[in-house]
Structures are given as structure tokens and as C-alpha cells.
Amino acid sequence: MEINNAPQKKRALSFIQSSGMFTLGNYLGAVKNWNNMQEEFECVFGIADLHSITVRQDPATLRKQIYSAAAMLLSTGLDPEKSLIFMQSHVAAHSQLAWILNCYTQFGELSRMTQFKDKSQKHSDNVNAGLFTYPVLMAADILLYKPDLVPVGADQKQHLEIARDIAKRFNGIYGDVFTIPEPYIPPIGAKVMSLQEPEKKMSKSDENENAKILLTDSPDAIMRKFKRAVTDSEARVCVGENKPGINNLIEIYSCITGKTADEITAEFEGKGYGDFKLSVGEAVVEELRPVQEKYNMYISDKAQLEKIYKEGAEKAQYVARKTLSKVMKKVGYVL
């Protein structure tokens, strides 16, 4: 996939971390929408493996997770002939631009980032500088490719906002260098919740295996987890103010079937939660079946996988180096 200097389509960019297998939340909230976006936008997709080490990682496990993320992106429909797909660590310009942008980011801005506060409490034994400054690396990830749009979940808007602030500050000093990206939030499926604690987002890192659906889960595991999903005592399938568990299941079913909440309520009128949970589980199993078949194919052929991502990195390096060179010239470096 070649990126034009003056694309006819708007450019969209998104990265996903490689720490752990993707969940149904990652898939419905981000990756599935990326697949659809390939037709509408000129897309850049990256595996944010550099971000993974703000938390201590076992090297062998991290390597396996990066390969898994690479295989899964291709398995969910991303096409290297249509989109630029690569691993962040294969493009040195990300780290180089991050250092420069660190010097145009205020300490106070970073100290206000809610994810830093949350992760500092969760990993209090390892509050490292990378954990504090990783929003700047994220800004570099974005700004290198001059996207018009960045698909983000509600919890990532703050990171895009600081990237925009950094870009505006830099442009204010040196002229029109960076494109100021706008957030793109999908209308549905932007936030899939935990099956056990539906007040919080479904997370790869949740220690409760019943709280999350992994894209590699077997059909039996998927059905078992949905049967155990937390609901409420009303036993009526409808959206409600005090029904977070059922609201979440309706959202999942809606994302997969395309049915509205009202249509789902009508479909299950007179039926209990048990019937509904089975239907949601079956819909998820069928949705993931072709994804899992492709994943098994890619993960068993590392040579093919590496070829695809190395070619993507070469193209990404070309685009990123152009932006980085312009930044370095503006700052005053000798090239």
C-alpha cells in the first residue's frame, strides 16, 4: 500500500498495544471498525509494541504477544494492499520524534493524565519515566503520519487532546509542520464492558477470565462465559438505567447483528435472560469463527507474517522519515 503525499481520501490512523490477546472489546470497539474504514479512508495501522514495556514484561511472552497481535490484525480483515500496517518498534522515527516532542510538552500536562495516575497506583513498584511520558510517544505515533482522523475510544480522548496540543504548540513556533488530527468515535461498539463487572471496560489484563472474551477463545469457552455474565433481577431484555449487564449484552448483540436495541427487545419479548445469553454467545462464536481460522493460518506461518510486517515497516519508515526530517530542520539540527 502506497501513501500519497496529497491523498484524495482523508487519512486515518490507529495503534493497538501488543500486551495480551485482543478481547471482544478491542474487536468490536476498534479493529472491526478499522476493517470498514479501509474502504473510506487512507489508513495507517500500527502495533504499539514500544508502549508495552512501561510495565515489566517477560521477553519470550512479549515476543509471542507481538506475533499474536500481528496475526490477529490480518485475521480481522486488515489488508496490507489497502492499508499501511507495521510494528512501531521497526520504525526508529517514533522514538526520535518522541524525544523532540518531550521538549515541547509541559510537565503539568503529563501529570494530569488520568491513565498515568491509574497505572501508577496499579504498578506502584515501577512508576518509571516511560509510564509518565508515554503520551508523548503516542503523540509521535500520531503526528509522524499526518492523519486527519484518529479513531479513539472515550478513554483515549485525553491522549489525542495532548497530541493536538503538542502539535499546535510546535506549529505555533515553527509554522505549519504537523496536521492537527480530529477524533473519530464510532457510533456503536466504542466501549464493550466486562461480563462480570459491567460498570467497567472489558480489559485484556483483567485477572478474572470470565470477565472477558478473547478472540482465540474456543466456542465452548465463549458460551460458558456468556452464560455466567452478570445481569439483574428484572429478567426482561431491554435497555435500562440500572441494567448495566443487560445493556452491555444488548450492545454486543447489536454490534454483531446490526439490530437496534428496540428490535432486540422485540425479538426477546417473553423470553428470559438465559435465552438471550445463549443467542449473544452463539452470535459471537459465529462472528469469530472465520477470524480464528485465519489467525491459526497466519500464526503457523511466521515467515509469511514477518514478510508482511517488514514490508509495511519499510513503507512506514519512508513516510515517517519525511516528517521527522522536516521537524529536525525546523528545530535546527544538521541533517
Side-chain angles (χ1 to χ4, degrees), residues 187-235:
I188 60 171
K191 201 170 185 179
V192 176
M193 312 305 282
S194 162
L195 297 182
Q196 292 299 308
E197 298 177 77
E199 297 83 6
K200 72 177 189 179
K201 189 177 177 182
M202 184 178 288
S203 171
K204 299 177 186 176
S205 60
D206 198 318
E207 294 179 359
N208 185 346
E209 290 300 317
N210 289 319
K212 59 192 177 186
I213 302 293
L214 302 179
L215 297 195
T216 50
D217 278 344
S218 68
D220 286 346
I222 292 170
M223 296 303 297
R224 182 174 65 253
K225 290 178 182 182
F226 275 111
K227 287 177 183 177
R228 295 176 178 174
V230 170
T231 52
D232 57 78
S233 59
E234 186 181 346

Side-chain angles (χ1 to χ4, degrees), residues 10 13 73 76-77 96 129 135 166 224 275 325:
K10 285 189 174 182
L13 173 146
L73 284 185
T76 53
Q96 290 174 275
I166 295 167
R224 182 174 65 253
D275 290 332
S325 295

Side-chain angles (χ1 to χ4, degrees), residues 263-294:
E263 288 171 338
I264 294 168
T265 296
E267 179 182 350
F268 290 92
E269 188 66 42
K271 297 180 180 179
Y273 285 168
D275 290 332
F276 182 49
K277 288 179 179 181
L278 285 175
S279 293
V280 178
E282 288 167 357
V284 170
V285 167
E286 291 308 309
E287 176 77 12
L288 296 185
R289 193 182 302 280
V291 173
Q292 292 180 351
E293 289 173 357
K294 291 178 183 177

Side-chain angles (χ1 to χ4, degrees), residues 32-232:
K32 187 177 182 181
N33 290 311
W34 293 358
N35 191 7
N36 298 332
M37 286 168 54
Q38 289 182 122
E39 308 305 322
E40 185 177 355
F41 303 112
E42 185 182 66
C43 292
V44 178
F45 299 117
I47 296 172
D49 49 352
L50 291 176
H51 289 282
S52 299
I53 63 170
T54 56
V55 177
R56 290 286 176 268
Q57 301 284 343
D58 172 71
T61 301
L62 177 60
R63 194 172 295 113
K64 181 180 178 181
Q65 289 174 343
I66 293 170
Y67 273 119
S68 293
M72 191 54 76
L73 284 185
L74 297 173
S75 302
T76 53
L78 298 193
D79 185 348
E81 296 299 318
K82 296 178 180 179
S83 301
L84 185 54
I85 309 171
F86 60 98
M87 296 176 191
Q88 177 194 29
S89 63
H90 289 181
V91 182
H94 288 256
S95 301
Q96 290 174 275
L97 182 59
W99 168 249
I100 295 172
L101 296 184
N102 264 313
C103 300
Y104 293 83
T105 307
Q106 301 302 304
F107 184 90
E109 290 175 308
L110 293 175
S111 65
R112 290 191 293 271
M113 302 299 287
T114 56
Q115 285 208 12
F116 171 71
K117 296 174 184 176
D118 294 343
K119 289 189 176 183
S120 296
Q121 293 175 353
K122 190 173 181 180
H123 303 282
S124 58
D125 59 331
N126 182 27
V127 184
N128 57 71
L131 187 62
F132 187 67
T133 63
Y134 86 98
V136 184
L137 177 57
M138 192 177 291
D141 298 338
I142 295 168
L143 299 177
L144 275 172
Y145 301 93
K146 299 186 175 181
D148 302 289
L149 300 169
V150 177
V152 290
D155 61 332
Q156 290 291 334
K157 283 189 71 177
Q158 193 181 32
H159 288 132
L160 180 58
E161 287 166 4
I162 195 171
R164 285 167 49 87
D165 290 342
I166 295 167
K168 289 175 182 177
R169 182 176 298 128
F170 195 92
N171 286 357
I173 299 169
Y174 299 108
D176 187 18
V177 178
F178 295 121
T179 298
I180 310 299
E182 297 291 336
Y184 175 78
I185 301 177
I188 60 171
K191 201 170 185 179
V192 176
M193 312 305 282
S194 162
L195 297 182
Q196 292 299 308
E197 298 177 77
E199 297 83 6
K200 72 177 189 179
K201 189 177 177 182
M202 184 178 288
S203 171
K204 299 177 186 176
S205 60
D206 198 318
E207 294 179 359
N208 185 346
E209 290 300 317
N210 289 319
K212 59 192 177 186
I213 302 293
L214 302 179
L215 297 195
T216 50
D217 278 344
S218 68
D220 286 346
I222 292 170
M223 296 303 297
R224 182 174 65 253
K225 290 178 182 182
F226 275 111
K227 287 177 183 177
R228 295 176 178 174
V230 170
T231 52
D232 57 78

